[in-house]
């Protein structure tokens, strides 16, 4: 019998053999595919979720803060002269936030109250599920002011748009339902109740801003295009009152939220790395078992003239296809999971995200998995390269073929 060497192999012989093997199916590598899919799903979901949130925070920094620079003071507002000097530096928006209670339909509950001026929001959009900003600002015939509320408040109070809600000494008419509040994360605290937004000029009549109330006064500044924000910060610091104030930039606001996100993704990242290690170990074991189970098939290839290099290349291509199948399944699960979680988290944090932001972390995960699977498969394939044809054919324990 003539022995066929590598140099004598007809072109495309590996593809022909591969097609024959694929026709028999890859059922024998089902455990390998499952391990790859699990590792891909776990690592992909963690990386895509963390990177998607980070990129969303970077893009939404100004919207989260509410401006290019934010000035915050507690309990007492800035004097009008200082506010006028700040306003000279750009477009100024004033916001007041406090915790209080509201009454509607005979129910009383804690709420997060926010007063806004006509310039709000400087960045982003206050999205309403029901009603409009025009309805909010226009008073009706009896001069009753309007309020915007979250849907959670309507459920808690059993109220609806058009009903009255009492804040302090004033009754407000519910004019709309808040769907997205762009600067919601800038509160920087745990919110005890649903949000209510009213006009800043109507807030003073409620009696809730009396001396002793814990009130946050926020002044958001949008500087003209081309203005150096750091230079504007220096100018603002020179105006600081004796009582002091807190200055923030979009980076500060994004970093504050990002730290919370990082703590969560760090824990999930550790779980993802463990899943990767377990998945690769399982993939190596599954590939090793599969190669060992094909000892007689490999022996027949060797006795027919195939060299160890041909055998390794054939089985390596087969394993690569199985790995691709597992990664496709894993990335499908990871993508669906990430999209669902990003929708939930972004809705809670009032962020906007784009699906294309998931492409880069997905490619990074794919690169890590390819390298890891290449190493795990190489260890398993080394057994096929050193398999003795005669010993395999004489072995009564080895099965003839396993797919």
């Amino acid at each position: 019998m003539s022995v066929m060497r590598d140099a004598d192999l007809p072109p495309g012989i590996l593809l022909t053999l591969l097609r024959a093997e694929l026709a028999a199916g890859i059922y024998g590598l089902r455990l390998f595919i499952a391990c790859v899919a699990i590792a891909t799903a776990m690592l992909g979901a963690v990386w895509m979720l963390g990177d998607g949130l980070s990129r969303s925070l970077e893009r939404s920094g100004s919207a989260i803060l509410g401006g290019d620079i934010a000035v915050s003071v507690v309990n007492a507002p800035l004097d009008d002269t200082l506010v006028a000097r700040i306003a000279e530096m750009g477009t100024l928006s004033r916001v007041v936030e406090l915790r209080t209670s509201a009454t509607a339909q005979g129910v009383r509950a804690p709420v997060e109250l926010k007063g806004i001026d006509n310039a709000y929001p400087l960045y982003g959009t206050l999205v309403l599920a029901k009603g409009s900003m025009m309805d909010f600002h226009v008073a009706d015939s009896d001069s009753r002011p309007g309020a915007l509320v979250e849907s959670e408040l309507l459920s808690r109070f059993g109220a609806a748009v058009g009903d009255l809600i009492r804040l302090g000494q004033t009754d407000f008419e519910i004019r709309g339902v808040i769907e997205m509040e762009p600067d919601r994360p800038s509160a920087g605290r745990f919110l005890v109740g649903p949000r209510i937004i009213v006009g800043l000029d109507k807030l003073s009549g409620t009696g809730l801003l009396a001396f002793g109330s814990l009130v946050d006064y926020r002044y958001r500044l949008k500087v003209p295009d081309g203005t150096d924000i750091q230079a504007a910060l220096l100018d603002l610091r020179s105006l600081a009152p004796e009582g002091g104030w807190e200055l923030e930039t979009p980076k500060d606001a994004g970093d504050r939220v990002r730290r919370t996100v990082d703590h969560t993704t760090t824990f999930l990242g550790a779980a993802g790395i463990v899943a990767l290690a377990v998945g690769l170990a399982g993939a190596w074991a599954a590939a090793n078992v599969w190669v060992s189970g094909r000892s007689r098939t490999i022996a027949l290839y060797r006795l027919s003239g195939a060299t160890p290099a041909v055998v390794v290349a054939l089985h390596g291509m087969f394993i690569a296809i199985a790995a691709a199948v597992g990664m496709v399944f894993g990335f499908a699960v990871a993508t669906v999971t990430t999209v669902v979680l990003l929708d939930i988290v972004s809705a809670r944090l009032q962020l906007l995200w784009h699906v294309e932001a998931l492409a880069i972390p997905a490619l990074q995960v794919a690169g890590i998995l390819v390298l890891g699977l290449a190493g795990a498969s190489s260890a398993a394939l080394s057994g096929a390269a050193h398999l003795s044809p005669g010993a395999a054919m004489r072995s009564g324990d080895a099965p003839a073929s396993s797919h």
Side-chain angles (χ1 to χ4, degrees):
M1 178 177 65
S2 64
V3 179
M4 186 178 295
R5 304 301 178 188
D6 288 353
D8 302 323
L9 288 175
I13 186 64
L14 279 178
L15 294 179
T16 302
L17 293 175
L18 181 61
R19 282 196 294 268
E21 292 285 355
L22 289 175
I26 57 174
Y27 184 73
L29 282 171
R30 60 192 182 279
L31 180 59
F32 176 84
I33 294 173
C35 291
V36 173
I38 292 172
T40 304
M42 288 290 293
L43 192 63
V46 170
W47 278 43
M48 289 192 288
L49 178 61
D51 202 77
L53 284 175
S54 296
R55 290 177 182 274
S56 181
L57 289 170
E58 289 175 3
R59 287 194 300 265
S60 306
S62 295
I64 291 174
L65 184 64
D68 295 317
I69 302 174
V71 179
S72 302
V73 292
V74 181
N75 293 340
L78 300 176
D79 63 71
D80 294 340
T81 302
L82 183 53
V83 171
R85 294 188 64 181
I86 296 175
E88 293 175 357
M89 302 175 63
T91 304
L92 183 67
S93 173
R94 292 180 294 170
V95 173
V96 173
E97 295 185 22
L98 69 152
R99 290 172 173 169
T100 184
S101 59
T103 305
Q105 306 296 315
V107 178
R108 187 180 183 88
V111 296
E112 295 283 344
L113 181 58
K114 182 175 185 175
I116 63 174
D117 61 8
N118 291 332
Y120 175 91
L122 296 177
Y123 287 98
T125 304
L126 179 60
V127 180
L128 303 182
K130 298 179 181 178
S132 67
M133 292 303 294
M134 181 177 294
D135 295 333
F136 170 63
H137 288 298
V138 176
D140 55 19
S141 57
D142 60 1
S143 299
R144 188 172 287 120
L148 303 175
V149 303
E150 288 185 320
S151 58
E152 179 186 345
L153 183 141
L154 298 180
S155 302
R156 184 174 299 183
F157 286 91
V161 174
D163 290 343
L164 298 182
I165 184 167
R166 188 168 186 82
L167 296 167
Q169 304 169 3
T170 305
D171 288 329
F172 290 80
E173 179 183 348
I174 299 176
R175 298 264 179 84
V177 179
I178 303 168
E179 181 175 332
M180 178 174 288
E181 181 187 353
D183 59 337
R184 178 66 173 266
S186 68
R189 63 187 183 188
F190 178 75
L191 302 182
V192 298
R195 173 73 83 193
I196 299 180
I197 295 179
V198 301
L200 187 59
D201 57 336
K202 306 298 191 299
L203 191 56
S204 57
T206 62
L208 297 174
L209 303 182
F211 179 78
S213 299
L214 186 60
V215 183
D216 290 330
Y217 295 88
R218 305 178 188 275
Y219 303 83
R220 278 80 175 268
L221 182 66
K222 182 179 181 180
V223 299
D225 293 340
T227 301
D228 186 351
I229 293 181
Q230 295 303 318
L233 273 174
L234 291 176
D235 293 339
L236 276 175
R237 288 194 178 98
S238 66
L239 302 176
E242 293 183 1
W245 59 20
E246 181 182 357
L247 296 179
E248 282 189 298
T249 64
K251 183 178 183 303
D252 299 325
D255 286 346
R256 185 175 62 244
V257 182
R258 190 179 292 108
R259 282 193 293 270
T260 302
V261 173
D262 286 345
H263 291 326
T264 303
T265 54
T266 297
F267 172 77
L268 293 176
I273 291 174
V274 172
L276 174 64
V278 173
L280 290 178
W284 168 81
N288 194 55
V289 169
W290 177 73
V291 170
S292 299
R294 288 175 55 85
S295 58
R296 286 199 172 184
T297 302
I298 294 172
L300 289 174
Y301 280 131
R302 293 293 308 280
L303 291 172
S304 299
T307 63
V310 172
V311 172
V312 170
L314 174 63
H315 288 76
M317 293 168 65
F318 201 76
I319 289 177
I321 292 174
V325 172
M327 289 175 66
V328 168
F329 278 114
F331 273 121
V333 173
T335 301
V336 171
T337 303
T338 301
V339 168
V340 171
L341 291 177
L342 278 176
D343 280 340
I344 295 173
V345 175
S346 61
R348 190 64 180 171
L349 295 179
Q350 307 294 310
L351 299 174
L352 295 175
W353 68 277
H354 303 282
V355 70
E356 57 267 22
L358 306 181
I360 294 178
L363 291 174
Q364 292 172 337
V365 170
I368 292 174
L369 287 169
V370 167
L371 291 176
L373 290 171
S377 300
S378 297
L381 291 172
S382 63
H386 297 91
L387 183 65
S388 170
M393 293 301 293
R394 289 191 299 271
S395 174
D397 297 330
S401 178
S402 175
H403 294 288

